[in-house]
Amino acid sequence: MAGGVADVDLALCGGGLQSALIVAALHGTGYGGSVALAESERIGGNHTWCFHAGDLSPAMRRCVEPFVAHRWSSYEVRFPGYRRVVGAPYAMISSERLRSEVLRMVAHRTGWVGREHTPVASLGEAAVRLADGRTISARTVVDARGAAGAAGACGYQKFYGEEITLRHEHDLPRPIVMDATVEQRDGYRFMYVLPLTATRALVEDTSFSDGPCLDEDERRWRIAAWLRDRGWETLRIERTERGVLPMPLAEAPAAGGAAVMRGGYRGGWFHPGTGYSLPVAAEFAELIAATPVADLPAAVAAAARDRRRRARFCHLLNRLLFRWYPPAARRAVFERFYRLPESTIARYYALRLRLVDKIRILGGRPPAGLSIPAGRGGRLTRASGRG
Ligand SMILES: Cc1cc2nc3c(=O)[nH]c(=O)nc-3n(C[C@H](O)[C@H](O)[C@H](O)COP(=O)(O)OP(=O)(O)OC[C@H]3O[C@@H](n4cnc5c(N)ncnc54)[C@H](O)[C@@H]3O)c2cc1C
């Protein structure tokens, strides 16, 4: 991209999670073609991405390894009725680490280039026009510029988090993926806690809510109260992050326009039941790295069909959660879910549910389970307490 025009095999538009996973997959599999990545701001943005070891194929686990900043051999969940340690390895990718590794991988390869502060103005099947007027022509263009447009009918996973240095060492041996013993407000609410070092932790106030409005002041106050209750004293807040992730109730219609390949959130490569992207975006990355260019359009179309099929069950769960259960009943749904076998929990996060898992998830009597509430004539009845 130094001159007016660049000619590459693969152009990646956007330098977020999806493009980083593609770079890692190409790097890890020894891709011999040329690559150009254009990011409008800073590669990786300001995120923390977590995943379970079982979310990724063994090959992608190896490729993603350099991005991992922290790992734990288990995590736990806490509900009023019980605590459970789930013996599944859990890992965290930080934006900083992801950015430095992407830049390192790109610098390592002849014919690879990654540019920050380089917005894409428009793109087509075989060319990308940058905002500064330059053009990249490419055999394959992937549009991974993140969310585009309205989310459609959905619930929301919302969070505000603080990465904190504590005055003293804490006593938390593993992440708490859900501490749902906290007061329930704005839907299902829980605290998400990652112990990063002996004196550093990421603490996020999270809710599964009906609306997208994120009240940061209230969440700041709630984090402070949670820390106070545990006797954790804040020395410094190092970093904050926030997110409002749509949890769709149905598949969004495919975006129209030119036959551009859409990756990441924009292409629907995320888990509708968790709002998280990593497991599904990694599948897309693996496909891009493993498929000859001529076969890519058909391979991506087939993979997208398969993903939509797998996502359908999660859309149903979202409809049950956000449309049929009143907010006050939602905690019981998760309390029951985390009593299921570890294998079902792992396959849920990986969006690889089997029939037996679906039966387990939908089993049980409401509101204890995510089962369909039995109404008159056995049909769905709207839960009370909601408009
Ligand atoms: C705070 C936070 C925490 C999260 N935690 C997790 C988690 O633990 N696990 C998980 O799986 N998911 C998590 N998610 C969800 C996940 O981050 C997103 O779904 C994921 O980043 C989507 O990947 P993406 O590459 O499609 O989009 P993004 O990562 O958003 O990347 C899109 C990139 O495109 C760039 N861009 C936009 N327009 C242009 C343009 N015109 N030209 C060039 N570049 C452009 C943006 O600047 C951005 O860097 C989290 C989200 C947030 C907000």
CSV table of all heavy atoms in Angstrom, one decimal, residues 185-212:
chain,number,residue,atom,x,y,z
A,185,ARG,N,-31.2,-6.7,38.7
A,185,ARG,CA,-31.7,-5.4,38.1
A,185,ARG,C,-31.5,-5.4,36.6
A,185,ARG,O,-30.6,-6.0,36.1
A,185,ARG,CB,-31.0,-4.2,38.7
A,185,ARG,CG,-31.3,-4.0,40.2
A,185,ARG,CD,-30.3,-2.9,40.7
A,185,ARG,NE,-30.6,-1.6,40.1
A,185,ARG,CZ,-31.4,-0.7,40.6
A,185,ARG,NH1,-32.0,-1.0,41.7
A,185,ARG,NH2,-31.6,0.4,40.0
A,186,ASP,N,-32.4,-4.8,35.9
A,186,ASP,CA,-32.3,-4.6,34.5
A,186,ASP,C,-32.1,-6.0,33.8
A,186,ASP,O,-31.2,-6.2,33.0
A,186,ASP,CB,-31.0,-3.7,34.1
A,186,ASP,CG,-31.1,-3.2,32.7
A,186,ASP,OD1,-32.1,-3.4,32.0
A,186,ASP,OD2,-30.0,-2.7,32.3
A,187,GLY,N,-33.0,-6.9,34.2
A,187,GLY,CA,-32.9,-8.3,33.6
A,187,GLY,C,-32.1,-9.2,34.5
A,187,GLY,O,-32.0,-9.0,35.7
A,188,TYR,N,-31.4,-10.2,33.8
A,188,TYR,CA,-30.5,-11.1,34.6
A,188,TYR,C,-29.2,-10.4,34.8
A,188,TYR,O,-28.6,-10.0,33.8
A,188,TYR,CB,-30.4,-12.4,33.8
A,188,TYR,CG,-29.3,-13.3,34.3
A,188,TYR,CD1,-29.2,-13.6,35.6
A,188,TYR,CD2,-28.3,-13.8,33.5
A,188,TYR,CE1,-28.3,-14.5,36.1
A,188,TYR,CE2,-27.3,-14.6,33.9
A,188,TYR,CZ,-27.3,-15.0,35.3
A,188,TYR,OH,-26.3,-15.8,35.8
A,189,ARG,N,-28.8,-10.3,36.0
A,189,ARG,CA,-27.5,-9.5,36.3
A,189,ARG,C,-26.5,-10.4,37.0
A,189,ARG,O,-26.9,-11.2,37.9
A,189,ARG,CB,-27.9,-8.3,37.1
A,189,ARG,CG,-26.7,-7.4,37.3
A,189,ARG,CD,-27.0,-6.1,38.0
A,189,ARG,NE,-25.8,-5.8,38.7
A,189,ARG,CZ,-25.6,-5.8,40.0
A,189,ARG,NH1,-26.6,-6.2,40.8
A,189,ARG,NH2,-24.5,-5.5,40.5
A,190,PHE,N,-25.3,-10.2,36.7
A,190,PHE,CA,-24.2,-10.9,37.4
A,190,PHE,C,-22.9,-10.2,37.2
A,190,PHE,O,-22.7,-9.3,36.4
A,190,PHE,CB,-24.0,-12.4,36.8
A,190,PHE,CG,-23.7,-12.4,35.3
A,190,PHE,CD1,-22.4,-12.4,34.8
A,190,PHE,CD2,-24.8,-12.4,34.3
A,190,PHE,CE1,-22.1,-12.4,33.5
A,190,PHE,CE2,-24.5,-12.5,33.0
A,190,PHE,CZ,-23.2,-12.5,32.6
A,191,MET,N,-21.9,-10.6,38.1
A,191,MET,CA,-20.6,-10.0,38.0
A,191,MET,C,-19.7,-11.0,37.3
A,191,MET,O,-19.8,-12.2,37.6
A,191,MET,CB,-20.1,-9.7,39.4
A,191,MET,CG,-19.3,-8.5,39.6
A,191,MET,SD,-19.9,-6.9,39.0
A,191,MET,CE,-20.8,-6.3,40.4
A,192,TYR,N,-18.8,-10.5,36.4
A,192,TYR,CA,-17.9,-11.3,35.7
A,192,TYR,C,-16.5,-10.9,36.2
A,192,TYR,O,-16.2,-9.7,36.1
A,192,TYR,CB,-18.1,-11.1,34.2
A,192,TYR,CG,-17.1,-11.7,33.3
A,192,TYR,CD1,-17.4,-13.0,32.8
A,192,TYR,CD2,-16.0,-11.1,32.8
A,192,TYR,CE1,-16.5,-13.7,31.9
A,192,TYR,CE2,-15.1,-11.7,31.9
A,192,TYR,CZ,-15.4,-13.0,31.5
A,192,TYR,OH,-14.6,-13.6,30.6
A,193,VAL,N,-15.7,-11.8,36.7
A,193,VAL,CA,-14.4,-11.4,37.3
A,193,VAL,C,-13.3,-12.3,36.8
A,193,VAL,O,-13.3,-13.5,36.8
A,193,VAL,CB,-14.5,-11.6,38.8
A,193,VAL,CG1,-13.3,-11.0,39.5
A,193,VAL,CG2,-15.8,-11.0,39.4
A,194,LEU,N,-12.2,-11.6,36.3
A,194,LEU,CA,-11.0,-12.4,35.8
A,194,LEU,C,-9.9,-12.0,36.7
A,194,LEU,O,-9.5,-10.8,36.7
A,194,LEU,CB,-10.7,-12.0,34.4
A,194,LEU,CG,-11.7,-12.3,33.3
A,194,LEU,CD1,-11.2,-11.8,31.9
A,194,LEU,CD2,-12.0,-13.8,33.2
A,195,PRO,N,-9.3,-12.9,37.5
A,195,PRO,CA,-8.1,-12.6,38.2
A,195,PRO,C,-6.9,-12.6,37.3
A,195,PRO,O,-6.5,-13.7,36.8
A,195,PRO,CB,-8.0,-13.7,39.3
A,195,PRO,CG,-8.8,-14.9,38.6
A,195,PRO,CD,-9.7,-14.3,37.6
A,196,LEU,N,-6.3,-11.5,37.1
A,196,LEU,CA,-5.2,-11.4,36.0
A,196,LEU,C,-3.8,-11.6,36.6
A,196,LEU,O,-3.0,-12.3,36.1
A,196,LEU,CB,-5.2,-10.0,35.3
A,196,LEU,CG,-6.6,-9.7,34.7
A,196,LEU,CD1,-6.6,-8.3,34.1
A,196,LEU,CD2,-6.9,-10.8,33.6
A,197,THR,N,-3.6,-11.0,37.8
A,197,THR,CA,-2.4,-11.3,38.6
A,197,THR,C,-2.8,-11.3,40.0
A,197,THR,O,-4.0,-11.2,40.3
A,197,THR,CB,-1.3,-10.2,38.4
A,197,THR,OG1,-1.7,-9.0,39.0
A,197,THR,CG2,-0.9,-10.0,36.9
A,198,ALA,N,-1.8,-11.5,40.9
A,198,ALA,CA,-2.2,-11.6,42.3
A,198,ALA,C,-2.9,-10.3,42.8
A,198,ALA,O,-3.6,-10.3,43.8
A,198,ALA,CB,-0.9,-11.9,43.2
A,199,THR,N,-2.6,-9.2,42.2
A,199,THR,CA,-3.1,-7.9,42.6
A,199,THR,C,-3.9,-7.2,41.5
A,199,THR,O,-4.2,-6.0,41.6
A,199,THR,CB,-2.0,-6.9,43.1
A,199,THR,OG1,-1.0,-6.8,42.1
A,199,THR,CG2,-1.4,-7.4,44.4
A,200,ARG,N,-4.2,-7.9,40.4
A,200,ARG,CA,-4.9,-7.2,39.4
A,200,ARG,C,-6.1,-8.1,38.9
A,200,ARG,O,-6.0,-9.3,38.8
A,200,ARG,CB,-4.0,-6.9,38.2
A,200,ARG,CG,-4.7,-6.0,37.2
A,200,ARG,CD,-3.8,-5.7,36.0
A,200,ARG,NE,-2.9,-4.6,36.3
A,200,ARG,CZ,-2.4,-3.8,35.4
A,200,ARG,NH1,-2.8,-3.8,34.2
A,200,ARG,NH2,-1.5,-2.9,35.7
A,201,ALA,N,-7.2,-7.4,38.6
A,201,ALA,CA,-8.4,-8.2,38.2
A,201,ALA,C,-9.3,-7.3,37.3
A,201,ALA,O,-9.2,-6.1,37.3
A,201,ALA,CB,-9.3,-8.6,39.4
A,202,LEU,N,-10.0,-8.0,36.4
A,202,LEU,CA,-11.0,-7.3,35.6
A,202,LEU,C,-12.3,-7.7,36.2
A,202,LEU,O,-12.7,-8.9,36.3
A,202,LEU,CB,-10.9,-7.8,34.1
A,202,LEU,CG,-12.0,-7.3,33.2
A,202,LEU,CD1,-11.8,-5.8,32.9
A,202,LEU,CD2,-12.0,-8.1,31.8
A,203,VAL,N,-13.1,-6.7,36.5
A,203,VAL,CA,-14.4,-6.9,37.1
A,203,VAL,C,-15.5,-6.2,36.2
A,203,VAL,O,-15.4,-5.0,36.0
A,203,VAL,CB,-14.5,-6.3,38.5
A,203,VAL,CG1,-15.8,-6.6,39.2
A,203,VAL,CG2,-13.3,-6.8,39.4
A,204,GLU,N,-16.4,-7.0,35.8
A,204,GLU,CA,-17.4,-6.4,34.9
A,204,GLU,C,-18.8,-6.6,35.4
A,204,GLU,O,-19.2,-7.8,35.8
A,204,GLU,CB,-17.4,-7.1,33.5
A,204,GLU,CG,-16.1,-6.7,32.7
A,204,GLU,CD,-16.1,-7.2,31.3
A,204,GLU,OE1,-17.0,-8.0,30.9
A,204,GLU,OE2,-15.2,-6.8,30.5
A,205,ASP,N,-19.6,-5.6,35.5
A,205,ASP,CA,-21.0,-5.7,35.8
A,205,ASP,C,-21.8,-5.9,34.6
A,205,ASP,O,-21.7,-5.1,33.6
A,205,ASP,CB,-21.5,-4.4,36.5
A,205,ASP,CG,-22.9,-4.4,37.0
A,205,ASP,OD1,-23.1,-4.8,38.1
A,205,ASP,OD2,-23.8,-4.1,36.2
A,206,THR,N,-22.5,-7.1,34.5
A,206,THR,CA,-23.1,-7.6,33.2
A,206,THR,C,-24.5,-7.8,33.4
A,206,THR,O,-25.0,-8.3,34.5
A,206,THR,CB,-22.4,-8.9,32.8
A,206,THR,OG1,-21.0,-8.7,32.9
A,206,THR,CG2,-22.8,-9.3,31.5
A,207,SER,N,-25.3,-7.6,32.4
A,207,SER,CA,-26.7,-8.0,32.4
A,207,SER,C,-27.2,-8.4,31.1
A,207,SER,O,-26.7,-8.1,30.0
A,207,SER,CB,-27.6,-6.8,32.9
A,207,SER,OG,-27.5,-5.7,32.0
A,208,PHE,N,-28.2,-9.3,31.1
A,208,PHE,CA,-28.9,-9.7,29.9
A,208,PHE,C,-30.2,-9.0,30.0
A,208,PHE,O,-31.1,-9.4,30.8
A,208,PHE,CB,-29.1,-11.2,29.9
A,208,PHE,CG,-27.9,-12.1,29.6
A,208,PHE,CD1,-26.7,-11.5,29.7
A,208,PHE,CD2,-28.1,-13.4,29.2
A,208,PHE,CE1,-25.5,-12.3,29.4
A,208,PHE,CE2,-26.9,-14.2,28.9
A,208,PHE,CZ,-25.7,-13.6,29.0
A,209,SER,N,-30.4,-8.0,29.2
A,209,SER,CA,-31.5,-7.0,29.4
A,209,SER,C,-32.3,-6.9,28.1
A,209,SER,O,-31.9,-7.2,27.0
A,209,SER,CB,-30.9,-5.6,29.7
A,209,SER,OG,-30.0,-5.7,30.8
A,210,ASP,N,-33.5,-6.3,28.3
A,210,ASP,CA,-34.4,-6.1,27.2
A,210,ASP,C,-33.9,-4.9,26.3
A,210,ASP,O,-34.2,-4.9,25.1
A,210,ASP,CB,-35.8,-5.8,27.7
A,210,ASP,CG,-36.4,-7.0,28.4
A,210,ASP,OD1,-35.9,-8.2,28.1
A,210,ASP,OD2,-37.3,-6.9,29.2
A,211,GLY,N,-33.4,-3.9,26.9
A,211,GLY,CA,-33.0,-2.7,26.2
A,211,GLY,C,-31.5,-2.4,26.1
A,211,GLY,O,-30.8,-3.0,26.9
A,212,PRO,N,-31.0,-1.6,25.2
A,212,PRO,CA,-29.6,-1.4,25.0
A,212,PRO,C,-28.9,-0.3,25.9
A,212,PRO,O,-27.7,-0.2,25.8
A,212,PRO,CB,-29.5,-1.0,23.5
A,212,PRO,CG,-30.8,-0.3,23.2
A,212,PRO,CD,-31.8,-0.9,24.1
